Amino acid sequence: MAAYIGRRLRKGAATTAVAALAVAALSASQAPGATVDDQGRRTASDSQPTSEVTTDDSASATGNSPYYTDLPPLHSPNPSPSPTQSSAIGTPVSRGEAEAGIPATVLDAYKKAEAALGTAKPGCNLPWQLLAAIGKVESGQARGGRVDANGTTTSPILGPQLDGNGFALIKDTDNGAYDGNSSYDSAVGPMQFIPSTWAWAGRDGNGDGKKDPNNVYDAALAAGHYLCRFGWDLSTQADLDRAILSYNNSTEYLNLVLSWLEYYRKGIHEVPDGTGTLPAGRSDGNSGASPTPSPDTTTPRPAPNKPGTTTPGTSTPAPAKPGKPTVPTPTPVPTPTPTDTVDHLEDAGTAKLTAMAGDAFTKKISTRAETSDGKAVGKVRIRFTVVGDTDTTFTGGESVATVVTGSTGVAVAPALKAGEKTGDFTVRAIVVGRTVTGVDYTATVTARAADTLARTGTTALTCVAGGEFADQVEVRATYDGALADNVAATATLVTSADDATVNTKGPYFKDADGKTVRTLTGLETDANGLLKLPKLYADDTVGTFLLRITTTGGATLTVELTVTAAPTPTESAGPAAPTESAGPSASASPSA
């Protein structure tokens, strides 16, 4: 039977109280961003649960299962002079450099997940040390790195079944597919996801085409995306706290994870797989990280006495006198949860869902949970899932969102953010933990569009025949008065205002090979809604011509182009006619 590797027991047990005090004591000294007390240690006064975190156990990644309470050394990852720790402040752990060792494959999974989130969600600022801190608390770094070459644990890591007996009550949601239990759910894998969370948060971190919660690469990447929801920036203390509490809604858990995070930030080293330190104590009072449960111990029975003798200090009990028959105590009928009373879901007035590619949907989906007689049911988890061939997600980049109904029975899904793929898709609403018919909502992503085009300049566009236009045509596209970026456009030199066929003479563009073209397709406005066309040329035809630009959405602009005749060369004057010279002067007659 797989080991119970898990998390939080609801408060009440004495061992849990001791562990909580221990966590608070150490966290006060090591939580980042904490204040300093008069002993030089920091307090975690700023690390408290926030109102954004629901107390619904199944709303967390782990179902608020029990977790390991081992504390990091009080100092940086250097050998400690003291091999022991006072029993008054928590679970004893091995000290010094051993605690700073992280198994090689597990460490590689954390760092790869950090790199992936750095690309997918750069604003989240996820540090791999946070994954390591959670992995330490959840499973002792996959039980000291007991994984194969692909990062899959050598045997499944399962938390206790969440049957409400000292733990949260989460009935089966996966028919035992992940945890082998078709009655109740258990947290699974090195990052301890409950099946209902893994169903939407699971990721393929090692590229093998599978999403396996017992694979450390898959689990680490899934944990990274889970912690980076809702636009959280983990470089800020408030969002860091929210993210950790969403993983397991416990102040003690928060402080413990923050302590390991701070410890790992001071330095770690890589150790071979399977040689990492194993946790020693859990928040539910169990201990050890053995891959199999400890065998049951049998209490020795006293040896039977010989006939006629009695054990010193004892006497033979007298036979019981007959009395009134014992009335059996009736088995209490469990009180139904709000989820148990849901009969169906109804649309709660959702408007038409349409958005252009890349834009946020302005309308949100509203779903109402009702009983069989139409009464509203509050405190019910509704899961909204984006279905279909689309890259549209909820705000924050997730395709699944879970919302708890309010007193009116209504759950409002987060806003949808349209991707680049156009067309229809579906958002499906279901009740978590109960099989009732869901509600499907159709949403549509349309191509980005413009409704107005205008030139950015006013200079007349003229050219002499056989030349090139001095100015390029530039236009600005808008939609409802706002700049329309990334809108597809076409430019065509048309025959006339009433004839949109391509002109066969007059101005033209050149393609990459220098050939004449009079239609340009595949154009797109830039981030500022601007579109600048290539240079225009003119053939030897003079006159007025029309360039028509159209966009998706119907915006149209017709630009006038003028081609004038080339100047006639000035005729050069012929050679000057020679001036006729006068004949020789008549000489005087000789005198007689």
Side-chain angles (χ1 to χ4, degrees), residues 1 43 51 54 125 143 157 180 209 220 222 295 322 343 347 353 361 379 436 450 460 468 482 496 499 504 581:
M1 183 165 54
T43 62
S51 59
T54 175
N125 296 302
R143 294 181 301 204
I157 299 178
D343 176 76
D347 173 44
L353 299 167
F361 283 72
K379 298 182 180 179
V436 298
E468 62 182 48
S496 68
D499 185 354
T504 59
S581 57

PDB file of all heavy atoms in Angstrom, residues 1 43 51 54 125 143 157 180 209 220 222 295 322 343 347 353 361 379 436 450 460 468 482 496 499 504 581:
ATOM      1  N   MET A   1       0.858  -1.193   0.000  1.00  0.00           N
ATOM      2  CA  MET A   1       0.000   0.000   0.000  1.00  0.00           C
ATOM      3  C   MET A   1       0.886   1.232   0.000  1.00  0.00           C
ATOM      4  O   MET A   1       1.871   1.303   0.724  1.00  0.00           O
ATOM      5  CB  MET A   1      -0.902  -0.004   1.229  1.00  0.00           C
ATOM      6  CG  MET A   1      -1.877   1.171   1.273  1.00  0.00           C
ATOM      7  SD  MET A   1      -3.205   0.921   2.478  1.00  0.00           S
ATOM      8  CE  MET A   1      -2.275   0.568   3.944  1.00  0.00           C
ATOM      9  N   THR A  43       9.409  38.265  12.809  1.00  0.00           N
ATOM     10  CA  THR A  43       8.067  37.743  13.024  1.00  0.00           C
ATOM     11  C   THR A  43       7.312  37.748  11.720  1.00  0.00           C
ATOM     12  O   THR A  43       7.569  38.564  10.843  1.00  0.00           O
ATOM     13  CB  THR A  43       7.316  38.605  14.058  1.00  0.00           C
ATOM     14  OG1 THR A  43       7.188  39.927  13.527  1.00  0.00           O
ATOM     15  CG2 THR A  43       8.082  38.662  15.367  1.00  0.00           C
ATOM     16  N   SER A  51      -8.625  37.501   2.592  1.00  0.00           N
ATOM     17  CA  SER A  51     -10.028  37.214   2.344  1.00  0.00           C
ATOM     18  C   SER A  51     -10.258  36.553   0.996  1.00  0.00           C
ATOM     19  O   SER A  51     -11.311  36.004   0.737  1.00  0.00           O
ATOM     20  CB  SER A  51     -10.832  38.510   2.415  1.00  0.00           C
ATOM     21  OG  SER A  51     -10.352  39.437   1.453  1.00  0.00           O
ATOM     22  N   THR A  54     -10.502  30.955  -0.075  1.00  0.00           N
ATOM     23  CA  THR A  54     -11.695  30.301   0.455  1.00  0.00           C
ATOM     24  C   THR A  54     -11.318  29.217   1.456  1.00  0.00           C
ATOM     25  O   THR A  54     -10.241  28.638   1.397  1.00  0.00           O
ATOM     26  CB  THR A  54     -12.512  29.664  -0.686  1.00  0.00           C
ATOM     27  OG1 THR A  54     -13.598  28.939  -0.104  1.00  0.00           O
ATOM     28  CG2 THR A  54     -11.686  28.705  -1.504  1.00  0.00           C
ATOM     29  N   ASN A 125       6.954  36.088 -11.961  1.00  0.00           N
ATOM     30  CA  ASN A 125       8.232  36.071 -11.234  1.00  0.00           C
ATOM     31  C   ASN A 125       8.324  34.884 -10.277  1.00  0.00           C
ATOM     32  O   ASN A 125       8.674  35.028  -9.100  1.00  0.00           O
ATOM     33  CB  ASN A 125       8.436  37.385 -10.463  1.00  0.00           C
ATOM     34  CG  ASN A 125       8.557  38.576 -11.392  1.00  0.00           C
ATOM     35  OD1 ASN A 125       9.437  38.619 -12.253  1.00  0.00           O
ATOM     36  ND2 ASN A 125       7.656  39.542 -11.251  1.00  0.00           N
ATOM     37  N   ARG A 143      10.118  12.085  -1.695  1.00  0.00           N
ATOM     38  CA  ARG A 143      10.694  11.057  -0.793  1.00  0.00           C
ATOM     39  C   ARG A 143      12.194  10.935  -1.007  1.00  0.00           C
ATOM     40  O   ARG A 143      12.724   9.832  -1.213  1.00  0.00           O
ATOM     41  CB  ARG A 143      10.000   9.713  -1.001  1.00  0.00           C
ATOM     42  CG  ARG A 143       8.552   9.724  -0.600  1.00  0.00           C
ATOM     43  CD  ARG A 143       7.882   8.397  -0.778  1.00  0.00           C
ATOM     44  NE  ARG A 143       7.933   7.914  -2.148  1.00  0.00           N
ATOM     45  CZ  ARG A 143       7.058   7.047  -2.650  1.00  0.00           C
ATOM     46  NH1 ARG A 143       6.085   6.580  -1.916  1.00  0.00           N
ATOM     47  NH2 ARG A 143       7.174   6.646  -3.904  1.00  0.00           N
ATOM     48  N   ILE A 157       2.933   8.358  -4.704  1.00  0.00           N
ATOM     49  CA  ILE A 157       2.921   9.088  -3.441  1.00  0.00           C
ATOM     50  C   ILE A 157       1.485   9.535  -3.200  1.00  0.00           C
ATOM     51  O   ILE A 157       0.949  10.348  -3.949  1.00  0.00           O
ATOM     52  CB  ILE A 157       3.855  10.303  -3.487  1.00  0.00           C
ATOM     53  CG1 ILE A 157       5.297   9.855  -3.741  1.00  0.00           C
ATOM     54  CG2 ILE A 157       3.772  11.100  -2.190  1.00  0.00           C
ATOM     55  CD1 ILE A 157       6.293  10.995  -3.847  1.00  0.00           C
ATOM     56  N   GLY A 180      -6.466   5.588  -7.045  1.00  0.00           N
ATOM     57  CA  GLY A 180      -6.873   4.210  -6.811  1.00  0.00           C
ATOM     58  C   GLY A 180      -8.024   4.064  -5.850  1.00  0.00           C
ATOM     59  O   GLY A 180      -8.295   2.957  -5.370  1.00  0.00           O
ATOM     60  N   GLY A 209       3.903  13.557 -23.635  1.00  0.00           N
ATOM     61  CA  GLY A 209       2.519  13.470 -24.064  1.00  0.00           C
ATOM     62  C   GLY A 209       1.540  13.094 -22.974  1.00  0.00           C
ATOM     63  O   GLY A 209       0.352  12.927 -23.243  1.00  0.00           O
ATOM     64  N   ALA A 220       5.761  19.684 -11.074  1.00  0.00           N
ATOM     65  CA  ALA A 220       6.395  20.976 -10.812  1.00  0.00           C
ATOM     66  C   ALA A 220       5.861  22.052 -11.751  1.00  0.00           C
ATOM     67  O   ALA A 220       5.587  23.186 -11.331  1.00  0.00           O
ATOM     68  CB  ALA A 220       7.908  20.858 -10.948  1.00  0.00           C
ATOM     69  N   ALA A 222       2.929  22.021 -13.251  1.00  0.00           N
ATOM     70  CA  ALA A 222       1.544  22.275 -12.857  1.00  0.00           C
ATOM     71  C   ALA A 222       1.491  23.180 -11.628  1.00  0.00           C
ATOM     72  O   ALA A 222       0.676  24.104 -11.563  1.00  0.00           O
ATOM     73  CB  ALA A 222       0.833  20.957 -12.574  1.00  0.00           C
ATOM     74  N   PRO A 295       3.894  -1.721   9.928  1.00  0.00           N
ATOM     75  CA  PRO A 295       2.976  -2.830  10.263  1.00  0.00           C
ATOM     76  C   PRO A 295       2.280  -2.566  11.582  1.00  0.00           C
ATOM     77  O   PRO A 295       2.803  -1.888  12.453  1.00  0.00           O
ATOM     78  CB  PRO A 295       3.914  -4.036  10.345  1.00  0.00           C
ATOM     79  CG  PRO A 295       5.265  -3.462  10.611  1.00  0.00           C
ATOM     80  CD  PRO A 295       5.302  -2.136   9.921  1.00  0.00           C
ATOM     81  N   PRO A 322     -28.702 -10.588  35.154  1.00  0.00           N
ATOM     82  CA  PRO A 322     -29.522 -10.225  33.992  1.00  0.00           C
ATOM     83  C   PRO A 322     -30.210  -8.886  34.229  1.00  0.00           C
ATOM     84  O   PRO A 322     -30.623  -8.578  35.332  1.00  0.00           O
ATOM     85  CB  PRO A 322     -30.531 -11.358  33.891  1.00  0.00           C
ATOM     86  CG  PRO A 322     -30.395 -12.166  35.124  1.00  0.00           C
ATOM     87  CD  PRO A 322     -29.155 -11.783  35.841  1.00  0.00           C
ATOM     88  N   ASP A 343     -29.772  20.252  -7.410  1.00  0.00           N
ATOM     89  CA  ASP A 343     -30.481  19.395  -8.361  1.00  0.00           C
ATOM     90  C   ASP A 343     -30.097  19.727  -9.801  1.00  0.00           C
ATOM     91  O   ASP A 343     -30.011  18.846 -10.644  1.00  0.00           O
ATOM     92  CB  ASP A 343     -31.989  19.567  -8.188  1.00  0.00           C
ATOM     93  CG  ASP A 343     -32.783  18.774  -9.210  1.00  0.00           C
ATOM     94  OD1 ASP A 343     -32.870  17.539  -9.040  1.00  0.00           O
ATOM     95  OD2 ASP A 343     -33.289  19.386 -10.180  1.00  0.00           O
ATOM     96  N   ASP A 347     -28.666  29.035 -16.192  1.00  0.00           N
ATOM     97  CA  ASP A 347     -28.004  30.268 -16.592  1.00  0.00           C
ATOM     98  C   ASP A 347     -28.600  31.415 -15.767  1.00  0.00           C
ATOM     99  O   ASP A 347     -29.809  31.459 -15.534  1.00  0.00           O
ATOM    100  CB  ASP A 347     -28.212  30.529 -18.082  1.00  0.00           C
ATOM    101  CG  ASP A 347     -27.685  31.878 -18.514  1.00  0.00           C
ATOM    102  OD1 ASP A 347     -26.565  32.226 -18.087  1.00  0.00           O
ATOM    103  OD2 ASP A 347     -28.379  32.593 -19.262  1.00  0.00           O
ATOM    104  N   LEU A 353     -21.764  36.411 -25.590  1.00  0.00           N
ATOM    105  CA  LEU A 353     -20.320  36.402 -25.338  1.00  0.00           C
ATOM    106  C   LEU A 353     -19.574  36.515 -26.661  1.00  0.00           C
ATOM    107  O   LEU A 353     -19.439  35.544 -27.406  1.00  0.00           O
ATOM    108  CB  LEU A 353     -19.927  35.111 -24.619  1.00  0.00           C
ATOM    109  CG  LEU A 353     -20.578  34.893 -23.240  1.00  0.00           C
ATOM    110  CD1 LEU A 353     -20.368  33.468 -22.777  1.00  0.00           C
ATOM    111  CD2 LEU A 353     -20.009  35.881 -22.231  1.00  0.00           C
ATOM    112  N   PHE A 361     -13.269  39.743 -23.076  1.00  0.00           N
ATOM    113  CA  PHE A 361     -14.722  39.741 -23.206  1.00  0.00           C
ATOM    114  C   PHE A 361     -15.301  40.731 -22.196  1.00  0.00           C
ATOM    115  O   PHE A 361     -14.885  40.770 -21.033  1.00  0.00           O
ATOM    116  CB  PHE A 361     -15.278  38.337 -22.930  1.00  0.00           C
ATOM    117  CG  PHE A 361     -15.105  37.373 -24.060  1.00  0.00           C
ATOM    118  CD1 PHE A 361     -13.855  36.861 -24.385  1.00  0.00           C
ATOM    119  CD2 PHE A 361     -16.198  36.966 -24.805  1.00  0.00           C
ATOM    120  CE1 PHE A 361     -13.689  35.958 -25.427  1.00  0.00           C
ATOM    121  CE2 PHE A 361     -16.049  36.059 -25.852  1.00  0.00           C
ATOM    122  CZ  PHE A 361     -14.793  35.561 -26.170  1.00  0.00           C
ATOM    123  N   LYS A 379     -22.688  28.413  -1.315  1.00  0.00           N
ATOM    124  CA  LYS A 379     -21.508  27.666  -0.868  1.00  0.00           C
ATOM    125  C   LYS A 379     -21.297  26.381  -1.664  1.00  0.00           C
ATOM    126  O   LYS A 379     -20.913  25.339  -1.127  1.00  0.00           O
ATOM    127  CB  LYS A 379     -21.597  27.352   0.624  1.00  0.00           C
ATOM    128  CG  LYS A 379     -21.638  28.591   1.510  1.00  0.00           C
ATOM    129  CD  LYS A 379     -21.668  28.236   2.991  1.00  0.00           C
ATOM    130  CE  LYS A 379     -21.704  29.488   3.862  1.00  0.00           C
ATOM    131  NZ  LYS A 379     -21.755  29.164   5.298  1.00  0.00           N
ATOM    132  N   VAL A 436     -24.507  16.386 -11.780  1.00  0.00           N
ATOM    133  CA  VAL A 436     -25.749  16.947 -12.305  1.00  0.00           C
ATOM    134  C   VAL A 436     -25.441  17.500 -13.688  1.00  0.00           C
ATOM    135  O   VAL A 436     -24.282  17.769 -14.019  1.00  0.00           O
ATOM    136  CB  VAL A 436     -26.322  18.060 -11.399  1.00  0.00           C
ATOM    137  CG1 VAL A 436     -26.680  17.519 -10.029  1.00  0.00           C
ATOM    138  CG2 VAL A 436     -25.350  19.221 -11.291  1.00  0.00           C
ATOM    139  N   ALA A 450     -11.621  47.083 -37.830  1.00  0.00           N
ATOM    140  CA  ALA A 450     -11.614  48.544 -37.782  1.00  0.00           C
ATOM    141  C   ALA A 450     -12.885  49.036 -38.450  1.00  0.00           C
ATOM    142  O   ALA A 450     -13.419  48.384 -39.356  1.00  0.00           O
ATOM    143  CB  ALA A 450     -10.386  49.101 -38.491  1.00  0.00           C
ATOM    144  N   ALA A 460      -0.776  66.152 -51.107  1.00  0.00           N
ATOM    145  CA  ALA A 460      -1.307  65.533 -52.325  1.00  0.00           C
ATOM    146  C   ALA A 460      -0.298  64.521 -52.862  1.00  0.00           C
ATOM    147  O   ALA A 460       0.924  64.749 -52.842  1.00  0.00           O
ATOM    148  CB  ALA A 460      -1.600  66.610 -53.362  1.00  0.00           C
ATOM    149  N   GLU A 468       8.325  57.835 -59.666  1.00  0.00           N
ATOM    150  CA  GLU A 468       7.846  57.226 -58.428  1.00  0.00           C
ATOM    151  C   GLU A 468       7.298  58.322 -57.518  1.00  0.00           C
ATOM    152  O   GLU A 468       7.743  59.468 -57.550  1.00  0.00           O
ATOM    153  CB  GLU A 468       8.957  56.442 -57.731  1.00  0.00           C
ATOM    154  CG  GLU A 468      10.143  57.265 -57.300  1.00  0.00           C
ATOM    155  CD  GLU A 468      11.245  56.429 -56.656  1.00  0.00           C
ATOM    156  OE1 GLU A 468      11.603  55.393 -57.237  1.00  0.00           O
ATOM    157  OE2 GLU A 468      11.729  56.832 -55.583  1.00  0.00           O
ATOM    158  N   ALA A 482     -11.238  53.963 -30.859  1.00  0.00           N
ATOM    159  CA  ALA A 482      -9.972  53.511 -30.276  1.00  0.00           C
ATOM    160  C   ALA A 482      -9.073  52.961 -31.379  1.00  0.00           C
ATOM    161  O   ALA A 482      -9.553  52.442 -32.396  1.00  0.00           O
ATOM    162  CB  ALA A 482     -10.228  52.433 -29.234  1.00  0.00           C
ATOM    163  N   SER A 496     -12.190  52.395 -60.997  1.00  0.00           N
ATOM    164  CA  SER A 496     -12.891  53.661 -60.766  1.00  0.00           C
ATOM    165  C   SER A 496     -13.622  53.571 -59.440  1.00  0.00           C
ATOM    166  O   SER A 496     -13.637  52.516 -58.785  1.00  0.00           O
ATOM    167  CB  SER A 496     -13.878  53.949 -61.895  1.00  0.00           C
ATOM    168  OG  SER A 496     -14.948  53.008 -61.864  1.00  0.00           O
ATOM    169  N   ASP A 499     -16.134  50.925 -59.879  1.00  0.00           N
ATOM    170  CA  ASP A 499     -15.643  49.654 -60.421  1.00  0.00           C
ATOM    171  C   ASP A 499     -14.424  49.210 -59.619  1.00  0.00           C
ATOM    172  O   ASP A 499     -13.344  49.773 -59.734  1.00  0.00           O
ATOM    173  CB  ASP A 499     -15.279  49.822 -61.894  1.00  0.00           C
ATOM    174  CG  ASP A 499     -14.884  48.492 -62.553  1.00  0.00           C
ATOM    175  OD1 ASP A 499     -14.783  47.471 -61.829  1.00  0.00           O
ATOM    176  OD2 ASP A 499     -14.657  48.488 -63.777  1.00  0.00           O
ATOM    177  N   THR A 504      -5.579  48.189 -64.808  1.00  0.00           N
ATOM    178  CA  THR A 504      -4.499  47.568 -65.586  1.00  0.00           C
ATOM    179  C   THR A 504      -3.441  48.570 -66.015  1.00  0.00           C
ATOM    180  O   THR A 504      -2.489  48.200 -66.703  1.00  0.00           O
ATOM    181  CB  THR A 504      -5.075  46.868 -66.824  1.00  0.00           C
ATOM    182  OG1 THR A 504      -5.778  47.838 -67.622  1.00  0.00           O
ATOM    183  CG2 THR A 504      -6.012  45.742 -66.418  1.00  0.00           C
ATOM    184  N   SER A 581      26.519  90.180 -95.764  1.00  0.00           N
ATOM    185  CA  SER A 581      27.450  91.334 -95.731  1.00  0.00           C
ATOM    186  C   SER A 581      27.196  92.243 -96.952  1.00  0.00           C
ATOM    187  O   SER A 581      26.864  91.781 -98.031  1.00  0.00           O
ATOM    188  CB  SER A 581      28.914  90.858 -95.737  1.00  0.00           C
ATOM    189  OG  SER A 581      29.154  90.050 -96.862  1.00  0.00           O
TER     190      SER A 581
END
